[in-house]
Amino acid sequence: MGNFKHRIVYQIWPRSFKDSNGDGIGDLQGIIGKLDYIKSLGVDTIWLSPIYATGNKDYGYDIDDYYKINPEFGSMEDFDELLHKSKNMGIDIVMDLVANHTSDQHSWFQEALKSKDSPYRNYYIFKQGKRNKKRELLPPNNWLSAFGGSAWQKDPNSDEFYLTLFTPNQCDLNWKNEKVREGIYEIMRFWLDKGILGFRMDVINTIAKKDGLPPAGKGKKLDFPFEHIVSLPKSHEYVKEMHEKVLSQYEDVFTVGEGMVTSLEDLNAYTRPEEKKLQMMFQFDVHLIGCGPLGKFDFRKGYRWTPKELKDLIIHWQTGVEKGGGWLGNFLSNHDQPRQVSRFGHDGAFRRKSAKSLALLNFTLRGTPFLYQGEEIGMTNCHLKEEDWRDFEAINDYRVLQEMMHLPKPLARKVIQKMTRDHARTPMQWSEEKNAGFTTGTPWMKVNPNCSYINVEKEMKRENSILSFYKKLIEIRKSSEALSTGSFVPVDTENKKVLSYLRQKGEDTYLIVINLSGSLAEANLMDVSAYNFKPVLCTYDALPFMPSMKLQPYEGRLYKV
Ligand code: NOJ
Ligand code: CA
């Protein structure tokens, strides 16, 4: 199977993948029923978004009990069955590890709430509130939560507040406490002992917080405390300890770190093999293109970006990680992002073309490729009305946009429609049957009406489908050392629309040429014209290589010497 650099990962967000019992909610038996489909893509690894017991305030990222399966998804027997069946098919399972916070229903937190002297109090981050001139009790500092509003919740039984950097029921753990760390390590051992391959680690670069919890930014209004929580030296230390005490005790544990706003230096420092921390990490710069400094709902740049900006970001990360000796997990979609054709491509006339080119991009970059359920059939964003929103982030930020940013309702609605995570969470479109074949019951969330023509069944029958393009691409990637681990060499870097690069290892050289724009473009490849390139996989016609090539909107081509 090769090592982590050779893997191809399929991400499942279980709630919206496939419902097996008609309750409208995707589940483990649903996944088991689709293993043949997943296998047919050519992937060898599944990452499951959280399937643990949860109150669903953040759909599984708020964990009540890390040793129990969410009963909506099934039982531990179902999980064991999934693990064994997939293993027999040559597919390994990666679980989500949420170690920055537990839910407020977790037994540690319930104990912590009982009194200020509870031994569990120190498992979390409690702090005395501040009094203003009127003697009103206010949160200890101005930290803003990632989902809007103060990051502090009042303890009902004291004058203290507890830190919740995400939803108000996701309580940040105190990683300074050795017992917390041991508790997390034990959870990891439990699942590794069961035979899972490894973990995708949720916001792993924010587990440490600056001592004393100083005010964020200028300290006046609510502000996100990037400088006090992102990739502090202590976070690196904790991950190193986790490696030493857990990961290194097992053979070849797959690890991918997720971290908001990771810098290049940090990503390299987390993933260089000699650091003994993580195997790879995601970066989000590409996903935040066109957003203001406060993140995805910061609309102040109007979500405007140019192909050249996207291209420069990709080149920056590709060359920077290669130079720095780290390793990336590459993805264009996940459960937190709008659908990739809608965000980076075109979800109208050029949907098929742009879906293929984006796939070509993701699978030929240096790093381990991840694909998210539905992208292999070119699923798009969905028109969602307020009553269709299911995500706390959308619902809360809608309010915050109006109250804090003074945005009129219609504009606030537009911002949410543009960026909500709900787009990624509409049910997987299996067929044109009722509810896209996702459930026989009432789906927990709106099904995109375009399932009448965007669905797996149709894609399977279609010639030149997006789906068959993915399968070919995955096969090519798997059989090529150059595409997996070779170096990335950008060419024609000044080109405003076309991203071109070589992937090289030993005798093997590939050339990838992608028009990132929705208009005609021209690639200038004089610099590499000495190579004898032959087309391997193209999104339009397989045209011969030329030192100067005209490209159609979103056209992508893969050549090989
Ligand atoms: C990142 C996860 O991907 C996202 O879904 C979640 O809301 C936050 N971390 C908090 O756990
Ligand atoms: Ca179900």
Side-chain angles (χ1 to χ4, degrees):
M1 187 131 328
N3 69 6
F4 64 91
K5 295 185 177 175
H6 295 88
R7 285 187 176 268
I8 294 172
V9 187
Y10 189 81
Q11 184 196 350
I12 293 181
W13 201 72
R15 199 174 180 82
S16 292
F17 189 63
K18 172 72 187 164
D19 174 24
S20 72
N21 63 353
D23 66 356
I25 297 171
D27 48 51
L28 296 179
Q29 284 299 335
I31 299 172
I32 292 171
K34 292 295 182 188
L35 281 175
D36 285 333
Y37 167 75
I38 297 168
K39 178 77 192 169
S40 76
L41 298 172
V43 306
D44 46 48
T45 310
I46 290 174
W47 153 30
L48 287 178
S49 273
I51 57 168
Y52 317 95
T54 175
N56 282 325
K57 299 283 191 326
D58 194 23
Y59 296 111
Y61 285 91
D62 49 323
I63 300 174
D64 296 350
D65 188 338
Y66 293 73
Y67 296 97
K68 290 221 171 82
I69 301 290
N70 175 359
E72 292 173 318
F73 292 171
S75 62
M76 196 57 93
E77 285 70 49
D78 294 318
F79 177 79
D80 291 337
E81 185 183 335
L82 171 62
L83 188 64
H84 291 122
K85 287 208 164 132
S86 43
K87 197 155 256 173
N88 286 338
M89 295 169 79
I91 298 175
D92 292 298
I93 303 275
V94 168
M95 300 275 280
D96 222 299
L97 178 76
V98 186
N100 179 70
H101 44 263
T102 73
S103 85
D104 56 4
Q105 300 307 306
H106 192 280
S107 62
W108 294 346
F109 191 75
Q110 286 299 310
E111 284 300 320
L113 273 188
K114 284 187 180 157
S115 94
K116 275 168 106 169
D117 309 319
S118 160
Y120 286 91
R121 195 77 170 183
N122 195 32
Y123 273 50
Y124 295 89
I125 303 178
F126 281 85
K127 197 170 169 157
Q128 178 67 39
K130 274 196 321 216
R131 298 219 174 253
N132 63 10
K133 283 185 194 125
K134 291 189 219 145
R135 301 291 303 149
E136 290 160 333
L137 194 62
L138 302 176
N141 67 23
N142 68 334
W143 288 15
L144 176 72
S145 123
F147 295 152
S150 169
W152 294 95
Q153 312 305 321
K154 169 87 174 43
D155 170 15
N157 303 317
S158 76
D159 281 356
E160 291 189 337
F161 288 71
Y162 53 92
L163 183 67
T164 61
L165 280 170
F166 296 90
T167 69
N169 83 316
Q170 286 165 304
C171 312
D172 283 66
L173 285 163
N174 174 17
W175 270 72
K176 280 205 230 168
N177 184 343
E178 200 188 324
K179 293 216 174 89
V180 166
R181 305 205 297 275
E182 256 322 308
I184 296 290
Y185 301 159
E186 218 169 285
I187 294 164
M188 295 173 73
R189 291 186 197 108
F190 172 82
W191 291 99
L192 288 170
D193 288 341
K194 262 190 178 292
I196 68 161
L197 183 69
F199 298 101
R200 173 270 189 192
M201 300 187 187
D202 194 63
V203 283
I204 196 68
N205 64 344
T206 60
I207 52 182
K209 278 87 185 168
K210 178 83 54 73
D211 273 338
L213 312 175
K218 297 202 176 96
K220 294 256 153 40
K221 47 183 194 336
L222 285 184
D223 208 343
F224 196 75
F226 293 109
E227 69 279 29
H228 304 317
I229 64 167
V230 177
S231 287
L232 302 187
K234 270 282 175 196
S235 283
H236 285 274
E237 260 177 53
Y238 295 144
V239 176
K240 214 173 167 77
E241 181 188 272
M242 175 193 279
H243 186 278
E244 202 176 289
K245 295 203 165 161
V246 186
L247 302 171
S248 67
Q249 306 299 311
Y250 295 79
E251 208 180 311
D252 208 18
V253 179
F254 183 96
T255 52
V256 52
E258 189 240 18
M260 48 165 70
V261 291
T262 319
S263 71
L264 188 56
E265 293 68 33
D266 268 308
L267 188 134
N268 284 325
Y270 278 114
T271 62
R272 261 192 301 270
E274 60 273 24
E275 298 276 351
K276 296 199 161 67
K277 293 174 193 160
L278 302 173
Q279 290 178 333
M280 68 189 89
M281 231 176 150
F282 300 128
Q283 61 88 3
F284 288 90
D285 283 4
V286 159
H287 295 270
L288 289 170
I289 194 167
C291 303
L294 278 178
K296 62 195 289 196
F297 291 113
D298 186 342
F299 55 88
R300 289 171 289 180
K301 283 168 79 178
Y303 301 108
R304 273 188 293 272
W305 53 272
T306 63
K308 181 69 163 63
E309 286 171 301
L310 178 59
K311 168 178 165 172
D312 289 347
L313 274 175
I314 293 169
I315 294 176
H316 166 78
W317 278 93
Q318 285 287 302
T319 51
V321 174
E322 185 168 351
K323 252 199 221 121
W327 193 251
L328 277 164
N330 288 316
F331 69 103
L332 290 171
S333 294
N334 70 20
H335 64 293
D336 291 334
Q337 308 298 333
R339 294 280 175 179
Q340 68 190 43
V341 269
S342 303
R343 179 86 165 104
F344 304 112
H346 191 281
D347 58 13
F350 297 118
R351 183 181 66 89
R352 296 187 159 278
K353 296 299 185 192
S354 61
K356 289 179 187 175
S357 278
L358 291 171
L360 180 62
L361 173 65
N362 197 43
F363 282 87
T364 57
L365 288 177
R366 192 167 184 280
T368 300
F370 287 67
L371 77 134
Y372 178 67
Q373 65 188 41
E375 77 169 71
E376 73 274 24
I377 56 168
M379 277 177 66
T380 67
N381 282 357
C382 183
H383 183 71
L384 296 165
K385 297 205 191 93
E386 253 168 87
E387 65 262 30
D388 301 322
W389 299 342
R390 292 289 175 274
D391 182 16
F392 175 85
E393 183 189 68
I395 295 163
N396 198 52
D397 275 309
Y398 182 51
R399 188 179 57 76
V400 171
L401 282 168
Q402 296 173 68
E403 287 171 10
M404 263 180 71
M405 315 283 269
H406 310 293
L407 216 58
K409 239 184 206 320
L411 281 183
R413 225 179 270 129
K414 258 197 168 154
V415 171
I416 304 293
Q417 170 66 23
K418 176 89 192 156
M419 293 304 283
T420 177
R421 311 193 290 186
D422 281 328
H423 290 305
R425 301 171 180 191
T426 62
M428 178 73 183
Q429 295 164 205
W430 294 104
S431 69
E432 60 187 318
E433 280 165 50
K434 197 165 169 241
N435 299 322
F438 162 70
T439 177
T440 54
T442 308
W444 76 280
M445 156 159 217
K446 180 175 172 178
V447 175
N448 195 323
N450 66 18
C451 67
S452 58
Y453 59 94
I454 303 177
N455 62 64
V456 171
E457 217 174 83
K458 272 229 157 84
E459 280 293 294
M460 282 185 162
K461 290 192 193 128
R462 180 184 261 273
E463 242 181 281
N464 280 324
S465 66
I466 302 170
L467 187 62
S468 61
F469 190 87
Y470 266 83
K471 290 182 187 175
K472 281 184 214 145
L473 196 51
I474 290 173
E475 217 179 283
I476 294 168
R477 163 105 191 183
K478 280 209 295 201
S479 63
S480 158
E481 199 54 39
L483 285 177
S484 303
T485 61
S487 62
F488 170 97
V489 184
V491 278
D492 191 16
T493 47
E494 291 312 307
N495 197 311
K496 290 210 162 55
K497 296 179 180 173
V498 185
L499 170 63
S500 306
Y501 49 97
L502 303 176
R503 295 295 314 280
Q504 285 183 308
K505 185 145 202 172
E507 297 291 284
D508 263 4
T509 300
Y510 285 84
L511 168 70
I512 296 95
V513 184
I514 299 172
N515 179 2
L516 294 171
S517 85
S519 51
L520 295 174
E522 190 165 348
N524 306 304
L525 302 160
M526 263 323 274
D527 287 355
V528 292
S529 59
Y531 289 102
N532 181 19
F533 288 121
K534 295 270 171 334
V536 180
L537 189 64
C538 296
T539 62
Y540 285 70
D541 296 329
L543 297 176
F545 171 83
M546 305 236 261
S548 166
M549 303 197 293
K550 294 232 171 357
L551 296 172
Q552 298 295 313
Y554 299 109
E555 176 165 7
R557 300 186 197 169
L558 175 65
Y559 293 96
K560 183 178 194 271
V561 172

